[in-house]
Structures are given as C-alpha cells and as structure tokens.
Amino acid sequence: MERLAIEGGEPVRKRPLPSGKKVGEEELEELRKVIESGNLFRGEKVREFEERFAQLYGVRRAVSSTSGTAAIHVALAMVGVGPGDEVITGPITDIGTVIPILAMNAIPVFADVQPDTFNMDPEDVKRKITPRTKAIIVVHLFGNPSDMDAMVRIAKEHNIALIEDCAQAHLAYYKGRLLGTIGDVGCFSFQQSKHMITGDGGMTITDDDELGDRGTVFVDKGWQRWVKGPRRYVMFGMNYRMTELQAAVGIAQLKRVRWVTETRNRLGDMLSELISDVKGVRPQRVLEGCRCVYWYYGMVVEEDAPFSADQFAKALSAEGIPAGAHYIGKPIFLCHEALRSKRIYGDTDCPFGCKYAQAEVRYEEGVCPNAESVLNRLVTIGINEFMTEEDIRDIARAIRKVSEGLARG
C-alpha cells in the first residue's frame, strides 16, 4: 500500500497540472480593430458579438451586458419581476444570482438541492411556490444540467417565468438541447474563470422578441436610443452597456468555446468513469442524456466515510492535485450578512417589509438541509481544457490513493 504524501510518501504528481493562457493573437487582432476604429463605446463589435452568440445558441435575441450578475438582472427585467414578487433559486450559487432579485425589490426564496446532482430539487421548488412567485432561476451548478423537464412543467403549470443561470454551463446540453434555450431566458457570464471570457461581461438570450426588446432597452438606461427627437425613456433601466473592447474579445472567444467545453466534458466524464468504484467518495451525478461541461469537478465524501472533506482535500492537494473543500461553505443566504439579517437598503427592512410582500421568508440553518449536507462534504477539483488524458489518470490515481490511505487510518 502506497504511503500518502501527507504522511511523507511520494506524491502522485510532482509537476503542476497544466493551465494555459485563455487569450492570444486572435483577441489581440480583434482589439486592434477596435482601437484603430477610435470607438470604444457600444457599436459594431457589440452588435456582431450579440448576433454571433444568438446564432451559436439558435435563438432570436442576445442582449450583452457588463457581467453575469447584470445578465440575470436583465432577465428579471425582461419577465417583469417587481416589488414583493418572489423568485425561487438555488442555495449553492454565487451571490451574483441573488443580487438582481433584491435589486428588483423582490424576495429571494431558496429551494433545496438533490443530494446527488447538487442542483435544485423540483419537488422542493414546488413546495416553495406561493401566489407571489413570479419566476424561477435554475442554477446549473458546475456546468451540470438541472432537471429541466420537471422545471418546465412546474413553470408552465403555475404560469411562472423560467430563467436559466448558465454562468458555469456554456454549451452544456440537456437531452439534446442547449442550456439557456429551454427556459424563457438564459443568462451567461464571461468572467475570467468561465468557459469563455471577456474579463467580465454577460449575455442574456431569449427566443421571444418582446422580451428581447425589453432587455435591449433595460441595459441602456431604459432609453430607446434609436428613436429620433427628444429622448424617451420608456422603462426604468440600468447602464449595463458592454464596451467594444469586451465584445472584441468575446468574438474571438466564440471561435474556441466549443473546443473548450467538448474537451472539459470528455475529461470530466473520463475521470468519473475512472473513480466510479473508489470507496468513500461519489462524483456529482449527471442526468441521463445530458452533457456536463465541468466548470469545476465536484464530488462528495460519503456520509459514512472514515474521513472528512477537509481531510480528503488536504491529502489530495499533497499528492499534487490541488483540491478545495466546501466550495462556498454554506448555502448562499447564510454567507451574505445583509440578506440573512434582511437589511439590504440601509436600516430598513425593504423589500421584506414592503406592503407588496406577503410571505415570511426565513434565511437560517435548516432551510435547505440537503444543500448544507452537500457543502459540508463537497470536494472540488479544477479541470481545464489544457489537460491531457494522462493528467486525468494522475488525478484518478491520486483520488484512489487518498481514499484507500485515509480509510487505512
């Protein structure tokens, strides 16, 4: 039996796992065109980026913005979320999913997750619906598709808007359909860690022209800029305009995002197969007929395992495979002090005390017990498109070695 590196043994991996540069000459060429044009403000490149992104996803409209958070804000404006409305979303996510709900003076409601997929449980979503529920934001965690058949049924049955948070799920598929095209609206992030990047930036897509029009106006302060004459602001909006510089990088990134996601899918699936019989840990389950794009590779330590997530991640890192434990640590509503205390706007209790709000929503331990359990036992490993199958075999060997070594005690 091999001695664990954390106990003084030889590590599985002595050289760093590969990482590569996500930008290069193609981005520089697109940026050069923008600089030479003299215009950095929203113009031809932004329009081209939006059109190409819409074509990639086979939808009618794509509205660019400044971040993934902004993209979700745009989506909520598209579907008409307002004060006191309730929006159901997942508890394992970035706060960027939640900020836009609060910015609309709406109430975030959190549905628990499935213990094996780590995604929202449709049954708990149904339990959380009230007469004030206006929308559901489905979070496809780590690029793993949620149960969209169930989510679509629930949304239609209750006449609720269905929004997909695809920040970690570029070109992921659910039963042959691209995530982001199944609900009413899909939202994407181009932040530096994502499958395609512009440094920061976002995109909101829809096949509904009316929703697309609302989004287009919302990101430009509510102004119908194309109408001549005195300015006319037709709705409340934000200044979320993407610049030509961001769009130029995005155009170049579109040329390789398919390779990025296909490579991550292949390598992640390979790792799951290699460790399928390892005792004590269980990979995030991918639903049948779906394609995960592994923004992170997630797995949980089994509840009866003789080691914890912290012990496993520490031992795995010592083997030369960087790993983290617990991801965000706790359900997102327990991580955000202002949300947990319901003090979003100064010392007021708005929107929770708003005259339009009806339900008493709790943000405390026990609201999403499955999410708490998953996060307590969660181990994450980075997978990227620059890795080889040999690298994946090293990761699998290290996982197996650590499982056996820690179990041995």
Side-chain angles (χ1 to χ4, degrees):
M1 188 78 69
E2 288 185 278
R3 190 179 180 191
L4 292 177
I6 203 169
E7 298 171 346
E10 286 292 315
V12 168
R13 184 92 183 190
K14 294 183 179 179
R15 65 187 188 283
L17 287 168
S19 61
K21 194 175 178 182
K22 292 187 174 185
V23 293
E25 292 299 322
E26 290 181 315
E27 285 79 7
L28 284 171
E29 177 59 23
E30 293 293 343
L31 286 168
R32 184 185 62 79
K33 294 175 185 176
V34 171
I35 297 298
E36 288 182 349
S37 76
N39 176 52
L40 309 187
F41 182 73
R42 177 185 176 95
E44 291 182 6
K45 286 295 180 186
V46 172
R47 285 190 289 272
E48 181 183 350
F49 185 32
E50 290 175 334
E51 289 170 2
R52 290 194 181 190
F53 199 89
Q55 290 169 3
L56 177 65
Y57 280 86
V59 295
R60 296 173 65 86
R61 303 293 292 274
V63 179
S64 61
S65 56
T66 53
S67 68
T69 302
I72 293 174
H73 200 178
V74 173
L76 294 176
M78 283 179 170
V79 302
V81 169
D85 287 340
E86 295 168 18
V87 179
I88 299 173
T89 192
I92 306 180
T93 187
D94 180 77
I95 197 63
T97 306
V98 185
I99 289 170
I101 302 172
L102 296 166
M104 301 301 282
N105 286 301
I107 310 296
V109 176
F110 296 91
D112 208 354
V113 301
Q114 297 170 319
D116 53 356
T117 68
F118 314 162
N119 283 324
M120 294 163 65
D121 181 355
E123 292 303 313
D124 201 45
V125 171
K126 286 193 288 187
R127 285 191 288 267
K128 299 293 172 66
I129 290 174
T130 76
R132 293 297 302 173
T133 306
K134 182 74 174 184
I136 300 168
I137 302 177
V138 180
V139 179
H140 302 295
L141 187 68
F142 301 160
N144 188 31
S146 298
D147 184 349
M148 290 306 294
D149 285 342
M151 295 298 183
V152 169
R153 281 196 302 270
I154 293 168
K156 287 183 177 179
E157 179 182 348
H158 294 275
N159 194 29
I160 296 169
L162 185 59
I163 297 167
E164 296 181 70
D165 181 349
C166 305
Q168 301 176 357
H170 290 253
L171 290 181
Y173 281 85
Y174 178 85
K175 298 181 179 180
R177 297 182 65 185
L178 280 167
L179 295 188
T181 69
I182 302 170
D184 299 292
V185 186
C187 308
F188 296 83
S189 169
F190 307 128
Q191 185 267 343
Q192 185 70 22
S193 69
K194 302 305 191 292
H195 298 90
M196 58 174 289
I197 65 172
T198 60
D200 220 328
M203 193 75 78
T204 309
I205 65 174
T206 181
D207 228 15
D208 185 311
D209 280 326
E210 183 177 348
L211 296 183
D213 288 344
R214 285 179 60 83
T216 298
V217 173
F218 182 78
V219 300
D220 198 10
K221 300 180 284 189
W223 178 15
Q224 288 183 330
R225 186 179 290 268
W226 61 89
V227 177
K228 294 182 179 180
R231 292 192 183 190
R232 184 164 175 256
Y233 297 94
V234 297
M235 67 181 292
F236 176 79
M238 308 297 288
N239 184 351
Y240 281 156
R241 297 183 301 253
M242 178 175 280
T243 70
E244 291 286 273
L245 295 169
Q246 290 169 294
V249 175
I251 289 168
Q253 289 278 300
L254 280 172
K255 297 175 184 177
R256 66 174 72 95
V257 66
R258 194 174 297 279
W259 166 73
V260 169
T261 54
E262 288 176 352
T263 303
R264 288 188 178 215
N265 168 255
R266 176 174 55 82
L267 295 178
D269 283 356
M270 177 184 174
L271 180 55
S272 292
E273 179 64 26
L274 288 172
I275 66 170
S276 61
D277 63 337
V278 173
K279 298 186 186 321
V281 293
R282 172 170 46 84
Q284 181 182 23
R285 183 168 78 92
V286 179
L287 297 175
E288 187 174 352
C290 295
R291 188 178 88 164
C292 179
V293 290
Y294 298 100
W295 181 71
Y296 259 147
Y297 187 90
M299 57 185 177
V300 286
V301 170
E302 297 280 13
E303 292 182 285
D304 60 353
F307 45 79
S308 68
D310 291 291
Q311 290 171 320
F312 196 91
K314 185 176 181 180
L316 193 59
S317 297
E319 298 294 340
I321 309 299
H326 313 304
Y327 185 39
I328 60 173
K330 298 179 180 180
I332 194 65
F333 54 84
L334 297 179
C335 299
H336 195 277
E337 293 182 12
L339 177 60
R340 190 173 186 180
S341 64
K342 297 183 180 178
R343 288 292 183 268
I344 306 301
Y345 298 104
D347 291 329
T348 74
D349 63 353
C350 294
F352 307 100
C354 168
K355 67 179 182 179
Y356 300 109
Q358 293 180 358
E360 175 62 28
V361 180
R362 297 181 298 117
Y363 302 124
E364 58 191 38
E365 292 180 1
V367 171
C368 294
N370 287 342
E372 289 184 33
S373 176
V374 166
L375 288 167
N376 283 339
R377 297 180 292 116
L378 185 61
V379 174
T380 54
I381 303 169
I383 283 183
N384 66 63
E385 57 275 17
F386 305 105
M387 290 181 176
T388 66
E389 291 188 359
E390 179 186 354
D391 298 322
I392 296 300
R393 290 190 186 93
D394 282 347
I395 295 173
R397 188 158 70 88
I399 290 172
R400 186 178 301 276
K401 177 185 175 184
V402 167
S403 173
E404 292 174 354
L406 291 178
R408 186 175 67 244

